[in-house]
Amino acid sequence: FDEKVSFAVSDEVYALYSKKRQAGERAEEEWRKMLQRYAVMYPKLASELERRFVKGELPAGWQAQMPTYTAADKALATRQSSQLVLNRLCESVPELIGGSADLTPSNLTKAKGALDFQKETPEGRYIRFGVREHAMAAICNGMSAFGGYVPFCATFLNFAGYALGAIRISAISKYGVIYVMTHDSIGLGEDGPTHQPIEMLLSLRSMPNLLTLRPCDSNEVSGSYRVALENRTRPSVIALSRQGVPNHAGSAVEHVALGAYPLHEPADPSAGGLQLILVASGSEVGLTVQVAQVLEENSKTRVRVVSMPCWELFDEQPLDYRKSVFPKGVPVLAVEAASVEGWSKYAHAVVGMEGYGASGPAKDLHKKFGFTVDHVASRAREVMAFYTAPNPEAPWLMHRP
């Protein structure tokens, strides 16, 4: 061939591929006629096929199936709440398909009555991916690319590191894969530092077009799944606890879509303006509510608690809303049993992890690393004192160029 000529295609090649195009057009026409005959014979199935593969819509009314809770309901680990949500979703969203790597009894991702996807049972919707986290996520990408399915997969949050390359492809390619990641902090206990995620939340939160959700109770778990299903062009990671957490009076399914919201307010709003904001995600939200109550009872401190299940969604809210959550002049203390990095966008100080965890019961680990009412309350008093006159008031972190 002539090296001086660029993008040269001979007439013979054009002629050959023109014939292939014509054959393809005939095959497509035959397929469309077959589909029309199918629609006449099986109208309900054809409508379902169009909904899933052509329109890409979820079934009508699926949101109404999400469970809701009150503060009086039993405290559950958020992984347990997740299983209850999956039980409902597998009934109302037939295109939901997925499973766990090798941790089904721990991730609690197998819905009640779910059938394994095997050679003998191809109708099954539960997949046992095996100890291959990267391949698991890549398989889910393939299902998402094919269309008509909502794939999910699961492992421990720390093992998302093995799947990060494929998760990144989910985000780049706008595949709405749902990643169910349990055992999300040092609260997992005795498995120790190899299993306890420290930097993983920050790694995931820094990835563009990925939603990282860490719900604080059962309502927020339902809300996290709702957000994940409604965002079909953004993958979601739902980080869930091993240990039980209380249900909060101020939580609601719909609040998760805001990214962050006031969960607890001072008992007497007429007493004056806010003196402190405590912000947290996941299992540490319950701790901050306890701290707020202690500060209010012991020193009449006016404290707001903000639950922040999703940084990305909060950052997308209108500026006026973000300023209303974190108003001018109020010091903010963040609490999360993970890396302290990143919280400086929202908080003036952080109670978090600055090293790896340890092996031991969760209660002992929380004491060792400062996730106790006494320690957080002490740190809160230090932060308030630092920003009390004659010292400058706390910078307004929501007011930036």
Side-chain angles (χ1 to χ4, degrees):
F1 59 91
D2 188 348
E3 295 182 357
K4 296 180 180 179
V5 178
S6 299
F7 304 107
V9 179
S10 68
D11 292 339
E12 291 85 355
V13 173
Y14 272 118
L16 175 64
Y17 277 89
S18 178
K19 292 179 181 178
K20 294 291 184 182
R21 184 194 70 224
Q22 293 167 6
E25 289 172 346
R26 289 194 297 271
E28 181 183 357
E29 180 62 25
E30 287 299 315
W31 181 84
R32 291 191 179 280
K33 290 179 180 178
M34 182 268 296
L35 191 61
Q36 290 173 355
R37 295 193 297 272
Y38 179 84
V40 172
M41 297 173 64
Y42 309 102
K44 289 185 179 180
L45 290 175
S47 177
E48 180 73 357
L49 193 68
E50 182 180 21
R51 177 187 70 78
R52 288 173 55 172
F53 285 91
V54 180
K55 296 180 179 178
E57 297 175 348
L58 293 171
W62 68 269
Q63 297 98 326
Q65 302 304 312
M66 306 298 277
T68 58
Y69 301 83
T70 70
D73 289 323
K74 181 181 177 181
L76 299 172
T78 52
R79 63 178 177 139
Q80 294 175 307
S81 305
S82 167
Q83 186 176 41
L84 298 177
V85 173
L86 287 171
N87 286 342
R88 296 280 190 91
L89 289 178
C90 283
E91 294 177 356
S92 58
V93 184
E95 58 264 47
L96 188 67
I97 181 171
S100 170
D102 60 325
L103 293 165
T104 294
S106 298
N107 297 146
L108 303 179
T109 41
K110 187 173 184 181
K112 185 177 180 180
L115 188 65
D116 282 4
F117 176 78
Q118 297 289 341
K119 180 180 179 181
E120 295 78 15
T121 52
E123 72 275 21
R125 291 159 57 195
Y126 192 76
I127 303 173
R128 299 183 185 271
F129 291 99
V131 191
R132 46 179 72 85
E133 289 85 357
H134 174 82
M136 173 179 72
I139 289 168
C140 287
N141 284 338
M143 287 192 285
S144 184
F146 183 78
Y149 295 96
V150 177
F152 72 92
C153 60
T155 186
F156 285 177
L157 178 61
N158 205 42
F159 301 155
Y162 296 124
L164 277 178
I167 294 174
R168 192 168 187 268
I169 292 299
S170 303
I172 291 174
S173 304
K174 300 181 179 180
Y175 296 150
V177 178
I178 301 174
Y179 294 97
V180 181
M181 303 294 183
T182 69
H183 296 60
D184 67 348
S185 76
I186 60 169
L188 66 85
E190 289 82 354
D191 281 341
T194 58
H195 288 53
Q196 292 164 355
I198 303 298
E199 78 290 352
M200 191 54 61
L201 282 172
L202 181 63
S203 298
L204 295 165
R205 286 164 172 164
S206 66
M207 191 178 294
N209 198 45
L210 177 69
L211 296 176
T212 303
L213 301 126
R214 189 169 182 246
C216 76
D217 68 359
S218 297
N219 279 328
E220 285 196 3
V221 171
S222 291
S224 295
Y225 274 99
R226 178 170 176 171
V227 164
L229 281 163
E230 288 176 342
N231 280 271
R232 291 292 77 226
T233 59
R234 284 199 286 190
S236 299
V237 173
I238 304 178
L240 303 166
S241 71
R242 180 194 181 192
Q243 72 273 30
V245 293
N247 294 302
H248 298 285
S251 72
V253 173
E254 58 271 17
H255 289 351
V256 175
L258 297 170
Y261 62 95
L263 178 88
H264 170 90
E265 296 283 22
D268 183 8
S270 64
L274 293 172
Q275 295 172 291
L276 176 71
I277 294 174
L278 297 171
V279 58
S281 77
S283 49
E284 289 72 67
V285 170
L287 171 60
T288 59
V289 171
Q290 290 179 284
V291 172
Q293 291 169 343
V294 166
L295 292 173
E296 290 166 357
E297 291 170 5
N298 293 349
S299 56
K300 307 298 182 184
T301 306
R302 297 180 295 279
V303 185
R304 167 181 287 177
V305 173
V306 171
S307 176
M308 197 170 204
C310 185
W311 291 10
E312 300 86 358
L313 290 173
F314 180 71
D315 290 346
E316 293 170 4
Q317 300 308 308
L319 180 59
D320 286 347
Y321 175 75
R322 286 179 278 145
K323 287 183 174 180
S324 73
V325 174
F326 297 106
K328 184 176 184 292
V330 184
V332 180
L333 175 63
V335 183
E336 187 173 62
S339 173
V340 299
E341 301 299 329
W343 277 106
S344 57
K345 290 200 309 182
Y346 315 106
H348 303 98
V350 188
V351 174
M353 295 294 294
E354 300 188 47
Y356 293 110
S359 178
K363 184 177 180 180
D364 294 345
L365 295 177
H366 288 146
K367 183 177 181 180
K368 175 181 175 65
F369 293 108
F371 297 97
T372 64
V373 172
D374 287 345
H375 180 261
V376 176
S378 175
R379 190 74 181 103
R381 294 186 188 99
E382 291 173 359
V383 172
M384 286 189 290
F386 186 87
Y387 290 114
T388 299
N391 297 329
E393 75 171 15
W396 198 8
L397 300 178
M398 295 298 103
H399 187 69
R400 299 181 180 183

